[in-house]
Every structure is written in structure tokens, then in C-alpha cells.
């Protein structure tokens, strides 16, 4: 997925910490042995280079090993491919140094300086049509917010075609619909152990009346409760073309981020959707173009 944020500046690269701690982390991870560490240290002192660079020159580690250690040093962990139930579609989880994740961080920066800089805690991620990439984008955005250290909650509010349980490898469990129907409590929120500060509230049981559930006063109360316990609450919202669910959710969240798919989403449809969003009282805080 290629992501194009609008009017966003790039974030400066993170600086490296001391090489000694890198050596310790490589040892602890079993990437190098104590004997090999001595070889690396000798080359490091002889050539005046970094520990990681010396280890790479000796063929003991790869660039990916170095990047994973750096991520741990700066409390920015990411997942090795094939070692998690989380879907490989989550670029922010597995490929944090890729161009698309740099774009996600730029979007996060703009939202932190704008929408989330005041009392706002909730944001709905919306699109016109099914297949516009809203669910995957929302999941990736939630990951990069959690990597910043923000206590982040991703709510799968798509009670028609939910995807977040699949993306995060969650078992079937009670979720948003069950809470709104009075059949579950906020303990339905699941902590995602692979990340530092990320939780997911799954869609739950697929109801026959999603629009009516989302229009209940219980949703307003739930949104307030979730905002009290999290720094950022992101709602994955069903497509505008699927009905008025989007408007009910956007009205509670207060703000929306529009996702459009390159060469697929029509500008006229976006204009109609944003007009209806404005009538619901929600504010469009920005737009993102995705390509996949």
C-alpha cells in the first residue's frame, strides 16, 4: 500500500545511541557469541567504526539485525516476519523504515500537532466505498501511534464487514456490538502484546441492526469512557456507500480522516460524503490517498 499524506513535512531521522549497548543487545539476542564480540571489538578499535558496522563487515549480522537493535534501543520495537499472529499486511509492524511507514509517521505528526493537540481524543477513519483500504490504513495508523508511546485504542466499528480481528490475529470474542447491546463491558478491549501501547476493540457479534446500535445513547457514553482511558481512539468505520453507520460514528468521534483510493474513489462521491459528514457535526481534519 502506498500512502500519500497531504501537506505533511517529513520527520527527521532518529539518531543512534551508543554502540556498546548495541553489542549487549546483539549478545542477548543470540546474534553474536562472546568470542565473536571480541573480534568485533578489535575491528571497531582498529578502524574507529561503530560496533554494528564492524559486526556487519565480519559477516556476523545483517543490516536488518542492526535496525532491529536500534528499534529496541529507542523503544520503537517492530516484529520479525513470520513470528507473530499479526498480519504481514501491517507494514508499520514489520517494515517500519519503508517509505509507506514514513508517510504514516508524517500523517501521525500532523494529527498530533492538529487534531490531538487539544481535548480531542477520538478520530474516525472513513472512506466512500468498500475496498478503499480504510481498515488496513486504520490498523497501520494505530500501530504508529502506539510506537510513539501514545496509549492507543483501535475500535472496529465496521459492524458489517469487520477486519481488525483478522489483521491482529485475535480470536473470536465479544466486541463493540456486544457492549452496545448490553451483553459485554469494556473488558472486551484486547491488549495487543506485540506492541507497547496498543489495544483493539473488535466488532464483536455481527448484529442484524448495526445502524440502530450505533445510534444508541450507549455509544455516546462508551466513546466518552474510552477517551478517558486512552490518549488516541481510532474508529475503523464502514464505507459511506454501505449506509448511514458512518455518520453515527463520525458524530460521536467529532473528527474524521478521509481515505481515498487512487484511480478508484471519485471526487464527486467524496464531496457528497463530506457534505453529509459536516451536517452530522463532524469535522474533516484531513485526507489521505492510498494506492494498492
Amino acid at each position: 500500500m502506498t500512502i500519500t499524506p497531504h501537506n505533511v513535512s517529513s520527520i527527521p531521522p532518529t539518531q543512534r545511541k551508543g554502540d556498546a549497548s548495541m553489542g549487549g543487545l546483539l549478545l542477548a539476542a543470540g546474534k553474536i557469541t562472546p568470542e565473536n564480540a571480541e573480534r568485533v571489538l578489535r575491528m571497531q578499535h582498529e578502524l574507529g567504526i561503530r560496533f554494528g558496522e564492524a559486526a556487519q563487515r565480519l559477516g556476523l549480522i545483517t543490516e536488518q539485525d542492526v535496525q532491529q537493535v536500534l528499534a529496541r534501543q529507542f523503544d520503537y520495537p517492530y516484529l520479525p516476519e513470520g513470528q507473530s499472529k499479526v498480519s504481514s499486511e501491517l507494514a508499520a509492524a514489520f517494515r517500519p523504515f519503508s517509505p509507506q511507514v514514513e508517510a504514516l509517521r508524517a500523517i501521525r505528526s500532523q494529527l498530533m500537532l492538529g487534531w490531538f493537540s487539544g481535548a480531542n481524543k477520538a478520530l474516525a477513519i472513513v472512506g466512500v466505498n468498500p475496498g478503499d483500504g480504510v481498515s488496513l490504513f486504520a490498523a497501520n495508523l494505530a500501530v504508529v501511534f502506539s510506537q510513539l508511546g501514545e496509549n492507543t485504542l483501535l475500535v472496529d466499528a465496521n459492524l458489517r464487514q469487520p477486519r481488525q480481528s483478522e489483521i491482529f490475529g485475535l480470536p473470536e470474542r465479544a466486541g463493540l456490538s456486544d457492549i452496545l447491546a448490553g451483553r459485554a463491558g469494556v473488558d472486551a478491549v484486547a491488549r495487543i502484546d506485540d506492541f507497547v501501547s496498543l489495544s483493539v476493540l473488535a466488532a464483536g457479534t455481527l448484529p442484524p441492526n448495526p445502524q440502530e446500535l450505533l445510534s444508541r445513547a450507549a455509544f455516546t457514553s462508551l466513546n466518552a469512557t474510552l477517551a478517558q482511558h486512552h490518549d488516541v481512539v481510532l474508529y475503523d468505520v464502514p464505507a459511506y456507500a454501505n449506509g448511514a453507520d458512518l455518520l453515527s460514528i463520525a458524530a460521536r468521534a467529532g473528527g474524521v480522516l478521509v481515505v481515498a483510493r487512487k484511480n478508484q474513489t471519485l471526487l464527486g462521491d467524496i464531496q457528497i460524503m463530506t457534505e453529509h459528514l459536516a451536517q452530522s457535526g463532524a469535522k474533516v481534519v484531513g485526507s489521505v490517498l492510498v494506492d494498492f
Side-chain angles (χ1 to χ4, degrees), residues 38-109:
E38 291 296 326
R39 295 172 57 201
V40 175
L41 285 169
R42 284 196 296 270
M43 175 177 281
Q44 180 186 11
H45 291 303
E46 289 171 3
L47 302 182
I49 58 179
R50 296 178 184 274
F51 188 97
E53 183 180 350
Q56 281 185 271
R57 288 195 185 190
L58 290 170
L60 301 174
I61 62 173
T62 65
E63 176 62 24
Q64 183 179 11
D65 294 328
V66 173
Q67 295 299 335
Q68 287 182 349
V69 170
L70 287 171
R72 291 181 60 188
Q73 286 179 319
F74 288 93
D75 296 322
Y76 190 73
Y78 63 99
L79 306 179
E81 296 278 359
Q83 297 185 25
S84 172
K85 295 180 181 179
V86 173
S87 171
S88 59
E89 294 179 290
L90 272 181
F94 294 99
R95 297 173 293 280
F97 309 108
S98 61
Q100 58 265 48
V101 182
E102 288 291 345
L104 280 163
R105 285 194 284 268
I107 294 167
R108 177 192 67 189
S109 178

Side-chain angles (χ1 to χ4, degrees), residues 75-76 108 143-152 196-197 231:
D75 296 322
Y76 190 73
R108 177 192 67 189
V143 170
V144 296
F145 267 111
S146 74
Q147 288 169 335
L148 188 63
E150 297 295 312
N151 186 7
T152 305
V196 177
S197 305
D231 300 318

Side-chain angles (χ1 to χ4, degrees), residues 182-225:
R183 299 169 54 217
V186 291
D187 56 349
V189 172
R191 185 70 177 237
I192 308 300
D193 294 331
D194 286 324
F195 303 97
V196 177
S197 305
L198 179 62
S199 300
V200 172
L201 177 57
T205 307
L206 294 188
N209 58 336
Q211 186 176 337
E212 286 74 16
L213 270 182
L214 294 168
S215 299
R216 291 182 179 179
F219 190 20
T220 302
S221 175
L222 175 63
N223 178 62
T225 299

